[in-house]
Structures are given as C-alpha cells and as structure tokens.
Amino acid sequence: MSREKQYNRRQVLGVALAALSSFLLLFTSDEQMAFSSLAPTPDMPPDTTLHIATTSQQTSAFTLGMSDVDTNLIYPQSSEQASQIKHLLAQSSSFTNIHIMGWGADDPWPDPAQPEPTNWTTLDKKLQIALDTGTTPVLTLCEAPWWMKGRLNADGSTTRLTRDDDFADITYDARILDNHMSDWLHLVQRIAERYMAPPYNVRYFQVWNELKGYYNPITNNWDGGKSQGDPTGDNARHGYTYMYNQVYTTLKQVAQGQGIDPPQVKVGGPYVVMDSWASTNAPDRSNVKDQYGALDRRSLNVVATWLAEKLGGDFLTIDGGNVNKDQTNLTDPFTATEKFADVVQWIRSLNPHTHPGATTLPIWWAEWYAIPFATENNPDYNNALKTYTLLQFINSGVSVALAWGYDDLWYANPATPGPWYGSAKAIKEHFSAGTPLYKTSSTSQDIVALASKSSVLIINKSLLPHVVDVKGKHIPLRSFQVVVVNR
C-alpha cells in the first residue's frame, strides 16, 4: 500500500476519532470510559503546526502551591514515604497552605476554661513541612474552637456548638458567635505571634474557608458584609467582612509589635466559592456567563462587597471548579475550565474607585478543581485537564493557585511520580512568576501550548494522537499527553 493511501486512511480514521473524542469529553454518565491511550505511529507525519510569537507580550505572575489537608506527612506510614512526598512537593510546589484547625490540625484551644491556647503540636508539625520542603508557608485562619461558634438557623435562632461538635459536620456550617469575636481575635493574635516568628516566619494569611457558616438560610444569601450582628448574646449574625476587618487589623498589629514591617504580612479574603449554574431557570444566575453556564450572583456579590468594605487587603482569594452547582455539564471539561479566567476578567472589570483593589490586587485560587466528567481514573486525562487549567490561570494573570492535597502527584505510591507531578514541576521550573511568555497559536483546537524564551509546554486535549511541528521539530503526542520541549 502506498504512503499516500496510508495517509488518506489515517485522515479518515482521524475524522472518526475526532467525533469519538468530542463525545468522550462530554461523557457524563456513570458508565466507565474504557478506552486505551492512543499513540502516533512511527511514520505519522505532522498534523499540527504550533506558531510562537517572536516577542514577549506578557510576564508570568504565577506560582503554584498546595494545601496540606490530612495527617499523612505528620504521621507518615514510614520515614521513607514522608521523605518521598516531601521531595515531590519541594520539586513541584512553591507554597504550602495549612489550616489552623481541621484538615489534619487539632483544635489549638479546646478548653474554654483555659486562659490561653496551648495545643500547638499538630500545627507545629504541619508548619515544619514547609520548612522541610523549602516552600513558603501560608496559614488559613479556619476553623475555630467549638465554644466560639454557632450556626444560624432558618427560624432566626442560633445553635451553639458543643464539645462533641468540634469536628462534626455542624462545625462547617457555623461561624464565630457575635459575642465571642474577642476570643477569636485573641486566638488569631496568639497564632500570629507564634508563627510570624522564627523558625516559621509566616507572612501569608487567608481569612476563613469558603465562607463556612456565613450562609444565611433566611435570605438564601451569604452574610458577606460588615454588620457586627448582635453581640448581646449567643448569635451568629455578623458579616464576613466585619470579622475579616478585625482579623486584618490584628495581624498587622502583631507584625508591628514583632518588628515586622506590616506591608510584609499579606492578608487575603474573602475565600468564597465561585459557583456556576447550567440551568437557565436558576434564580441565582448572574449575567456573567459563557458556554459552561452562568456564575452565581451571590458569589459575585461577596467579592464585590469585600472589595468595597474591607479595611485593607493584600490579595484576593477565591475558590471554584469546572463543575456546575446543579451538576449539569453544558460543554466539555476543558472548555468548562475557562470559567476560571472569566472570574478573573470579571473582577478586573470592577470600578477600582468603588471597589478598591479590583484591578490591582493579586488574585489567588485558594482551591481549584478541574474534574474530568468521565468516571474512569485516567492519569493522563486528569493531568491534561489540570495543566490546561494552569494555562487559564497564567494567561489571565492569576498570582497563586493552591491545589487541594497532593495525592495526584504520584501513582500507587510516592516512589512513582505521576504525570501531574511532571507538569507541576515544569510550571515551577520554566513558567513561574517573572518569566517572559510568548503567545502561541495552533492549527488544531486539540493542541494548546505555553511558551517561554527557552521552553514550550504542549498539551494534547484529545483522545487523538497528534504530531506537532514546532519550528521543524516533530513532537509526537499520545492521547492527553503533556510534554515540555526546548525551543
């Protein structure tokens, strides 16, 4: 058979596979996506050309970090496993985020009869992870001891937490009680005093997590403003920004008291989930919409309120994923990740006079979820989607994205790094903050790329194999493969 006929047959097969690939990306049923990875044949000619601009038009502002959300590193199965995980983190991450309570950290002040918080063991161990990996530590000021918290109910009453509720489900539906704000601020003060000091030298703080407890069932909205609530009793009525402003002031005061220039301590909020909806009948849809659906107006309002009413802020931190809140997918998971860039664009569009910092504050994604809609656990597919999401962050000017956990860095065990580790490591080494970037374009919608002066990261978003021509170099890519090549 002639080479021409072979190539024509390959073109026909490519059309069929393209249709199949499009179907798989939209696959949302509970059935398994049981398809093997496809690789280019040795004689397959280039089917895609990648063009790279000759001059840089953007500088990366991006840094990738990860949140430590369990006890695997402070109570490892073995010292060898802990060493392997720490090595992977050191190579692929620049920030280590730690919650002061929950997600592997004990309650630092479980007994209200004690005048001071003293239970620092697990938090010390978690901060040690950042020291061991050479990453920059971030403290997320959430959760809080049970005796400080209460849940607002639909009838307007407040349910106080009990000792047994310290790590129960209700704690994640509860906020600081209005009349215990001073206790919370005292805890924040002691945490800041302990961890701003050597050897930890923490300089980054996120205030709370996903507005847990600040949902108001009476109004079906977030209590995001600066109302102080009703501190005359055990009420959960104050607004998030009211709490944030007091935490912000406390952290800056501690910095000054320790001889640290307050601007060196960075404080961010509001850490709200940027939900989206597929249904056109969803009552909380906003006018910010694209192929994936529409952003939730309540989430947008929280961000706008925080910007307008904060006493100060050093970065803006948010949370979200590519899956809609009503669990309906209108497009493929890659296109759905464009939501991340749309959120950033919306924030930057706000009036900086009425919303100070909207156009200038660094934007952090405290949590981000890029989830394949198919149910098969395909590490290459998962990695391609995650890496494509990082391109959304980088191209939209995001400063920091914190991955939730680190299990995806390896296959069965930390001794065998997976493809996501390779991508994360490449981003850190070749495309991190300060790197000039060069615009790329591809002749195939399946192929996207990120280019610096010395390196090109290429993503195959498709089940189809491709061979990409990069200035005469032929780069073969199997299904959903991510590679980095020298320019």
Side-chain angles (χ1 to χ4, degrees), residues 271-343:
Y271 201 152
V272 62
V273 181
M274 305 306 293
D275 286 322
S276 57
W277 298 90
S279 173
T280 57
N281 296 320
D284 297 310
R285 283 173 60 99
S286 72
N287 292 325
V288 183
K289 56 187 178 181
D290 210 322
Q291 296 180 62
Y292 52 82
L295 298 180
D296 190 304
R297 61 174 179 82
R298 297 168 299 181
S299 301
L300 300 181
N301 288 341
V302 168
V303 172
T305 297
W306 178 81
L307 283 167
E309 298 184 352
K310 68 187 184 311
L311 287 180
D314 302 292
F315 60 95
L316 188 154
T317 185
I318 45 181
D319 172 333
N322 65 332
V323 176
N324 289 319
K325 192 171 178 65
D326 44 7
Q327 301 297 309
T328 298
N329 306 312
L330 299 179
T331 186
D332 67 84
F334 287 92
T335 301
T337 67
E338 294 171 9
K339 165 184 171 181
F340 294 108
D342 288 348
V343 170

Side-chain angles (χ1 to χ4, degrees), residues 7 25 113 115:
Y7 185 54
L25 288 175

Side-chain angles (χ1 to χ4, degrees), residues 146-204:
W146 60 273
W147 53 274
M148 299 182 188
K149 296 181 66 184
R151 181 187 65 192
L152 178 63
N153 301 314
D155 63 2
S157 64
T158 297
T159 298
R160 285 206 61 172
L161 271 61
T162 67
R163 188 180 298 272
D164 291 339
D165 294 327
D166 217 7
F167 293 98
D169 288 345
I170 190 175
T171 196
Y172 303 106
D173 291 328
R175 69 186 91 173
I176 304 298
L177 290 164
D178 299 344
N179 61 347
H180 279 273
M181 189 62 67
S182 60
D183 295 314
W184 166 242
L185 296 174
H186 186 71
L187 175 59
V188 169
Q189 177 186 345
R190 292 294 185 247
I191 287 170
E193 290 169 347
R194 184 177 186 86
Y195 295 112
M196 283 186 192
Y200 306 108
N201 299 309
V202 176
R203 296 294 184 269
Y204 292 91

Side-chain angles (χ1 to χ4, degrees), residues 9 15-16 19-20 30 92 109 131 154 187 197 210 217 227 230 277 301 312 331 369 372 385 407 424 432 436 442 466:
R9 287 187 62 183
V15 172
L20 177 62
D30 291 332
S92 61
W109 197 356
L131 298 182
L187 175 59
E210 296 186 337
S227 167
D230 182 4
W277 298 90
N301 288 341
T331 186
Y369 301 95
L385 184 57
D407 289 353
S432 58
S442 168
H466 285 279

Side-chain angles (χ1 to χ4, degrees), residues 339-349 363 365 396-398:
K339 165 184 171 181
F340 294 108
D342 288 348
V343 170
V344 174
Q345 184 178 12
W346 173 82
I347 292 171
R348 295 307 192 206
S349 73
I363 293 177
W365 284 91
S396 63
V398 167

